[in-house]
Amino acid sequence: MLLQIILHTPKWVFAVFVLLLWLGCRQLLSGSVSLAKVTVMPIAMTGLSLAGVISAFGDSPGALLGWAATAAALVLLVLQNPLPASTRYDRAAREFHVAGSAVPLLLMMGIFFTKYVVGASLAMHPELRQQAGFAVAVPMLYGAFSGIFAARAVRLWRLAISTDAMAADARAA
């Protein structure tokens, strides 16, 4: 059965998988990342996550509320954690120097495989949309991925803003 699901998967899905895998693996290594990329990636992944909720449940207020509440809760939770000590912001280059991390790869693969499994499950069993456990768990899972992505970006933006503020204070003194 799994083979049949894979064989009936559109080719573009595999291209998206390879792209996400490549982007995630790049983040396993320490390096520099621009302010723009820090902003764009969470927006793109949140869009993919929200698209997963909408494709599974339409514009169901309950599903969207579950997604949003979980995303907000995870943002607040992750914001409590400090950035790794080696994280730096270079004002002149407008980029961050960050340690490698598996978290982005895990989040991207989580969103991708959630969307894939939910899509395949609903194609075989459309009645799952009506089951409360499914209708609650799936949007919350998508929301968790989005919240973590967003909070990681917000923490970096906070570093950029505080670095810029310190530089302005130093110039004023």
Side-chain angles (χ1 to χ4, degrees):
M1 183 148 139
L2 180 60
L3 183 59
Q4 286 302 312
I5 292 169
I6 292 170
L7 289 174
H8 288 91
T9 300
K11 302 288 186 255
W12 64 266
V13 173
F14 296 108
V16 169
F17 172 74
V18 170
L19 174 65
L20 293 175
L21 185 63
W22 176 73
L23 288 170
C25 285
R26 285 186 44 199
Q27 295 184 46
L28 291 170
L29 305 172
S30 298
S32 297
V33 62
S34 71
L35 195 57
K37 195 176 285 186
V38 162
T39 304
V40 169
M41 182 58 78
I43 291 171
M45 295 312 296
T46 296
L48 187 59
S49 166
L50 192 54
V53 173
I54 293 169
S55 70
F57 304 101
D59 61 356
S60 162
L64 295 173
L65 181 61
W67 176 85
T70 305
L74 265 292
V75 165
L76 294 174
L77 184 65
V78 173
L79 286 178
Q80 303 305 309
N81 299 322
L83 286 167
S86 62
T87 305
R88 300 282 180 264
Y89 178 65
D90 180 343
R91 284 183 60 243
R94 295 182 53 95
E95 65 183 20
F96 299 91
H97 301 284
V98 295
S101 173
V103 173
L105 174 62
L106 294 172
L107 293 171
M108 287 181 218
M109 292 297 100
I111 291 171
F112 177 86
F113 283 114
T114 299
K115 184 146 178 43
Y116 189 85
V117 169
V118 167
S121 298
L122 289 173
M124 294 185 304
H125 304 285
E127 70 278 4
L128 284 173
R129 280 185 183 85
Q130 312 313 318
Q131 292 185 2
F134 189 82
V136 169
V138 170
M140 289 179 71
L141 183 58
Y142 279 127
F145 293 135
S146 297
I148 295 168
F149 252 118
R152 289 171 54 88
V154 168
R155 291 187 315 172
L156 290 171
W157 268 93
R158 282 182 173 174
L159 174 62
I161 291 167
S162 68
T163 301
D164 287 344
M166 286 191 295
D169 288 347
R171 279 192 308 258

